[in-house]
């Protein structure tokens, strides 16, 4: 068994889509980044790579590389899963938390789980995604950005 942890933050800005776990969430602001800035999927990929001892997403998908400009992070997640399978690892379970003041994410969580399960080619029952606010405190509370944590267990 191997455990991994991932953490990511992206800044909220106007005129960008808000994409979380592969799901486009209607909102007045979106996340800024070189890729689609899907902060949840990035935290998940870092947890997976960490558990497998394969470094981090910055090493595998550098943000200086034009081929990753505005790329759908679900495609990157598929590549990460292929790397894990090459090494003989399977996902036991994954638990993630989104930190966002707005918008209210609860209605979108089941769709995120479905989308992530498809990208990872695992049962949705192995994936848990939660969302919380930080009570108006700090950069997520002040709606400057959204953060995500993830822990994953491989065998
Ligand atoms: Mg990121």
């Amino acid at each position: 068994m191997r455990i991994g942890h991932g953490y990511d933050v992206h800044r909220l800005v106007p005129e960008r889509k808000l994409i979380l776990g592969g799901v486009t969430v209607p909102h007045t602001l979106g996340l800024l980044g070189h890729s689609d800035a899907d902060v949840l999927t990035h935290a998940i990929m870092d947890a997976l790579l960490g558990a497998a001892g394969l470094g981090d997403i910055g090493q595998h998908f550098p943000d200086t590389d034009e081929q990753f400009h505005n790329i759908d992070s679900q495609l990157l997640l598929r590549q990460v899963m292929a790397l894990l399978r090459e090494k003989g690892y399977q996902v036991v379970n994954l638990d993630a938390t989104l930190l966002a003041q707005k918008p209210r994410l609860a209605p979108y969580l089941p769709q995120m789980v479905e989308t992530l399960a498809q990208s990872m080619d695992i049962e949705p029952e192995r994936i848990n995604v939660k969302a919380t606010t930080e009570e108006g405190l700090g950069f997520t509370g002040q709606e400057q950005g959204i953060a995500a944590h993830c822990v994953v267990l491989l065998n």
Side-chain angles (χ1 to χ4, degrees):
M1 297 279 220
R2 294 180 65 109
I3 192 167
H5 169 257
Y7 174 68
D8 195 26
V9 173
H10 281 266
R11 188 183 291 271
L12 277 167
V13 294
E15 290 168 24
R16 284 273 298 188
K17 277 187 184 175
L18 178 58
I19 299 170
L20 298 169
V23 176
T24 301
V25 176
H27 192 42
T28 50
L29 303 172
L31 294 174
L32 183 65
H34 182 68
S35 66
D36 63 2
D38 183 339
V39 66
L40 173 60
T41 302
H42 293 184
I44 290 170
M45 288 193 283
D46 259 352
L48 291 166
L49 290 168
L54 290 170
D56 62 43
I57 55 171
Q59 290 166 26
H60 291 270
F61 313 112
D63 64 7
T64 49
D65 192 330
E66 263 312 298
Q67 67 170 311
F68 304 124
H69 184 66
N70 280 333
I71 196 167
D72 177 354
S73 292
Q74 298 311 297
L75 298 176
L76 304 180
L77 179 57
R78 284 176 191 273
Q79 288 185 43
V80 167
M81 288 302 294
L83 288 172
L84 259 62
R85 291 200 175 95
E86 261 173 44
K87 286 201 109 185
Y89 291 121
Q90 291 182 326
V91 174
V92 177
N93 77 305
L94 174 166
D95 185 26
T97 304
L98 278 161
L99 309 176
Q101 193 66 34
K102 280 183 191 168
R104 194 174 135 68
L105 297 175
Y108 304 96
L109 299 179
Q111 203 185 334
M112 290 179 203
V113 168
E114 260 325 303
T115 303
L116 292 164
Q118 274 182 27
S119 298
M120 295 175 70
D121 197 19
I122 63 173
E123 300 89 339
E125 292 74 24
R126 293 182 184 274
I127 300 177
N128 192 76
V129 180
K130 316 182 289 301
T132 184
T133 73
E134 290 193 293
E135 301 285 342
L137 298 168
F139 70 85
T140 72
Q142 286 158 27
E143 298 172 61
Q144 295 170 316
I146 292 180
H149 291 268
C150 178
V151 287
V152 64
L153 193 65
L154 305 181
N155 70 2

